[in-house]
Amino acid sequence: MIRTRFAPSPTGFLHVGGARTALFNWLFARKHGGEFVLRIEDTDQVRSTAESAAGILADLQWLGLDWDRGPVPGKEKNEYFQSMRLEIYNQYLDQLVKSDIAYEAYETPAQLAAMRAKAEKEKRPFRYRRNMPSRATSGQGPSVLRFEMPHEAVEFNDLILGHIAVGGEEHDDIVIRKSDGFPTYHFAVVVDDHLMGISHVLRAQEHLMNTPKHLGLYRALGWQAPVHAHMPLVFNMDNTKMSKRDKSKAARHAAQMMLKQDPTCTMESLATRAGLTPEALAAFLHQKQDDPAITQALAAALKLQLPEIDVQDFRRSGYLSDALLNFIALIGWAPGENREILSREELKALFSLEGIGKTNGRFDRKKLLWMNGEYIRHSDDATLLRAMASFGAVTDYPIKAAPEPMLRNLLGMYRERMGTLAEMAENSRFFFGPPDYDLKAVKKFVGSETDRNYLREITRILSAIPSPWNSEKLNPPLETIITLTEKRGAASQILRVAVSGGAVSPPLLDTLILLGRDVTLQRLGNLERLVQAG
Ligand code: GLU
């Protein structure tokens, strides 16, 4: 039976790279009628949090990646959390100690750093080995347990990268139990993959050099190892690795540009605007600190949209889970025949490890935006209403409060013209409250005395139309308004600015029907007062 697993460490949000690892494992299991296991690797007591674990489960659910065995959302930790399995690990740790394949090591971190520095100075790689003369055989602090890695070469066949061999002289004796008594990742992963019957370990290439260590452990424990496949990493278009640091990079860059280009902007004024101390801002700008809170504060002060990195960022930006899933499937994997838009069923049918490349995948944001627009345009109302509900659950736009008939109406107006749900949420704000007038548009379209006369004329024409407004009643006056000016349509722009605040909106007829007579006339009056006030 094919059984794969996704084994995130709950130390942060689910990154798109992690989501892709989960997706490929899920696809491989589903395609072969196997099982997909979710395991939370929370052996790092300091960095693991329950919120992170809950967030990862929620993101996987949002993506529709269901698991056959694993944590139960909203429930207590079960045996799919490594922190609940200490007894099991201890049993196997004892076994290795008894057979003298694992041994206590006493170096403090400072001693290890000195050993490493010495090796570096002598231009030789540092490998910790049981037989090395400089090893401490006793010590005062808490000891760790190390695994005596065999001295022979380890070879394996990676299903993506092919034959991999690591010579015996390359190995070192890894720590398998930390001084806090918890097993390390290396040990827990081997024990769990074995006991959980994992047949295929598909993970990112950054783990490639861990695999020989794991194979050493399998051998020592007398177990057959699963098949391994290491997937290419996810890179930005500029060939840097896509990482959460990209957000602070973007905020830092925007702040530096602002300080350089705007003579009125100083370190002090920018810090005040962002609610930071000048010292904290300076430290951030000099890359001494990568604080997410500073990043967010700067982004808000500079009205900067940070690059999406984590799954929840994409959800908040209004990407559909199907579109994101389709897109990440194509990072490093190709179904052939240049196919791009693929449903979940098609992905399952076409997925194969042979289609995964060896080189880094690229995350092309423009393509994702295009793909999301395609998904939106081809989704029916029910699908988009569901997507809106899930988007509304994590965002705070006024559209959240819209009743269903109004939402359907808005979808009708925006479906063809939005790349993300956030675009509709942002652009439709004026349906839920008085618009913020775009002063450039006001000046451009209602700047002259003649324009103001047209504005009054429009108000006169529309006040003659009784409520409730519908297309039958509104078509004739709108036609009159279009032809009011010498340049056809100029008066319509005045009307558009009055009701929406700016020069772009969905078709006026639909817009006015949805706003209704009272609101429309009120806004025409507001604009008139605004332009009169100058
Ligand atoms: N917990 C590890 C990580 O998040 C899992 C690596 C693996 O798949 O073995 O990187």
Side-chain angles (χ1 to χ4, degrees):
M1 134 100 94
I2 291 218
R3 192 179 285 151
T4 61
R5 50 52 160 199
F6 177 52
S9 307
T11 54
F13 300 118
L14 180 64
H15 178 285
V16 276
R20 194 206 41 178
T21 300
L23 171 62
F24 284 6
N25 277 287
W26 181 84
L27 285 171
F28 192 68
R30 293 286 173 263
K31 168 162 184 153
H32 293 100
E35 279 186 351
F36 175 56
V37 175
L38 176 61
R39 180 174 72 227
I40 302 295
E41 303 209 319
D42 56 350
T43 54
D44 184 335
Q45 286 191 88
V46 180
R47 295 176 61 225
S48 301
T49 67
E51 297 76 55
S52 163
I56 292 171
L57 301 192
D59 287 343
L60 290 172
Q61 285 182 309
W62 179 72
L63 286 168
L65 301 180
D66 55 338
W67 51 94
D68 303 298
R69 295 156 192 257
V72 184
K75 290 270 157 61
E76 293 288 295
K77 283 188 189 177
N78 63 9
E79 70 274 26
Y80 289 92
F81 285 75
Q82 287 187 328
S83 59
M84 302 296 281
R85 303 170 63 78
L86 293 186
E87 272 172 37
I88 301 175
Y89 306 129
N90 281 336
Q91 185 188 327
Y92 292 103
L93 286 167
D94 286 349
Q95 182 183 323
L96 291 186
V97 172
K98 279 207 189 90
S99 41
D100 199 30
I101 304 175
Y103 62 94
E104 306 275 342
Y106 302 93
E107 284 80 7
T108 60
Q111 283 170 319
L112 282 172
M115 288 158 91
R116 223 171 259 123
K118 184 160 181 278
E120 203 171 305
K121 216 165 133 203
E122 291 164 7
K123 296 203 164 31
R124 58 180 170 84
F126 175 64
R127 315 250 187 255
Y128 193 107
R129 292 302 246 163
R130 192 175 193 173
N131 60 4
M132 67 186 181
S134 57
R135 205 164 76 71
T137 44
S138 65
Q140 270 136 27
S143 62
V144 300
L145 207 57
R146 286 187 184 262
F147 163 61
E148 186 175 4
M149 185 75 185
H151 287 256
E152 323 69 88
V154 172
E155 300 188 25
F156 68 100
N157 184 38
D158 185 293
L159 285 190
I160 295 169
L161 299 173
H163 180 250
I164 305 282
V166 177
E169 69 291 350
E170 301 275 323
H171 305 322
D172 65 2
D173 294 353
I174 50 168
V175 175
I176 51 177
R177 191 192 64 210
K178 295 177 277 186
S179 54
D180 66 1
F182 272 61
T184 56
Y185 153 69
H186 296 302
F187 193 74
V189 83
V190 166
V191 171
D192 287 346
D193 283 344
H194 173 72
L195 294 184
M196 294 178 184
I198 303 302
S199 63
H200 290 70
V201 170
L202 319 180
R203 61 186 168 199
Q205 262 177 34
E206 61 205 0
H207 289 292
L208 180 63
M209 281 306 125
N210 291 333
T211 301
K213 306 182 201 307
H214 300 175
L215 294 175
L217 280 168
Y218 278 104
R219 209 184 292 174
L221 288 159
W223 295 338
Q224 200 198 330
V227 175
H228 284 85
H230 292 89
M231 301 178 293
L233 300 180
V234 181
F235 269 55
N236 291 310
M237 296 307 277
D238 67 2
N239 255 333
T240 55
K241 189 169 167 233
M242 194 170 167
S243 92
K244 57 179 176 227
R245 308 196 67 178
D246 293 347
K247 289 188 195 176
S248 46
K249 218 162 95 186
R252 190 172 289 128
H253 178 74
Q256 273 154 351
M257 291 309 279
M258 185 80 174
L259 285 165
K260 207 155 116 194
Q261 287 170 355
D262 181 348
T264 64
C265 179
T266 63
M267 196 72 98
E268 286 71 31
S269 71
L270 184 56
T272 312
R273 251 167 77 191
L276 303 167
T277 63
E279 294 73 35
L281 177 59
F284 178 82
L285 292 183
H286 293 117
Q287 317 212 355
K288 292 208 184 94
Q289 236 174 329
D290 237 358
D291 192 328
I294 297 187
T295 302
Q296 293 295 343
L298 273 178
L302 298 170
K303 291 201 171 24
L304 172 73
Q305 156 89 46
L306 294 172
E308 299 93 352
I309 304 288
D310 300 316
V311 169
Q312 60 159 17
D313 298 335
F314 291 94
R315 179 172 173 187
R316 287 210 184 99
S317 287
Y319 287 90
L320 305 191
S321 55
D322 282 344
L324 185 63
L325 200 79
N326 186 162
F327 178 78
I328 59 180
L330 301 178
I331 307 174
W333 173 71
E337 298 169 23
N338 285 330
R339 298 199 47 191
E340 293 203 304
I341 303 276
L342 298 152
S343 68
R344 267 162 216 271
E345 291 312 311
E346 286 171 312
L347 286 174
K348 273 188 236 169
L350 293 170
F351 186 75
S352 78
L353 295 180
E354 290 77 51
I356 300 180
K358 294 185 185 176
T359 52
N360 301 325
R362 293 292 194 79
F363 197 95
D364 183 347
R365 292 174 187 274
K366 280 198 198 120
K367 185 161 154 189
L368 170 60
L369 186 61
W370 163 79
M371 195 176 267
N372 201 51
E374 285 292 295
Y375 267 85
I376 289 175
R377 285 184 284 282
H378 292 104
S379 293
D380 56 23
D381 269 11
T383 308
L384 287 181
L385 287 172
R386 270 198 307 278
M388 277 308 290
S390 124
F391 168 71
V394 294
T395 52
D396 217 7
Y397 291 97
I399 202 169
K400 259 177 100 153
E404 195 186 305
M406 181 175 184
L407 258 184
R408 284 182 189 273
N409 228 322
L410 289 171
L411 285 175
M413 290 185 214
Y414 284 97
R415 182 188 256 106
E416 296 293 325
R417 46 170 78 217
M418 61 170 152
T420 63
L421 300 178
E423 258 177 59
M424 169 166 85
E426 187 56 47
N427 295 339
S428 68
R429 279 183 189 276
F430 72 88
F431 284 105
F432 301 92
D436 282 333
Y437 283 103
D438 165 4
L439 295 180
K440 269 198 204 126
V442 171
K443 198 162 164 222
K444 178 164 175 205
F445 296 105
V446 215
S448 70
E449 193 47 47
T450 333
D451 296 333
R452 277 168 225 166
N453 286 333
Y454 285 128
L455 177 61
R456 274 174 223 118
E457 182 65 11
I458 294 166
T459 309
R460 202 188 52 74
I461 296 172
L462 288 176
S463 21
I465 315 299
S467 254
W469 282 357
N470 53 34
S471 46
E472 210 178 304
K473 283 195 211 166
L474 272 185
N475 262 326
L478 279 180
E479 190 50 36
T480 314
I481 290 170
I482 288 180
T483 48
L484 210 56
T485 45
E486 203 170 310
K487 191 168 143 243
R488 197 181 148 86
S492 314
Q493 277 308 79
I494 299 176
L495 173 56
R496 193 184 300 279
V497 172
V499 294
S500 76
V504 250
S505 80
L508 272 173
L509 177 68
D510 303 328
T511 304
L512 295 194
I513 293 174
L514 190 55
L515 286 173
R517 183 176 186 273
D518 292 351
V519 172
T520 303
L521 294 179
Q522 201 178 45
R523 291 192 186 174
L524 281 160
N526 289 349
L527 181 61
E528 200 179 322
R529 277 188 292 282
L530 181 79
V531 290
Q532 251 157 18

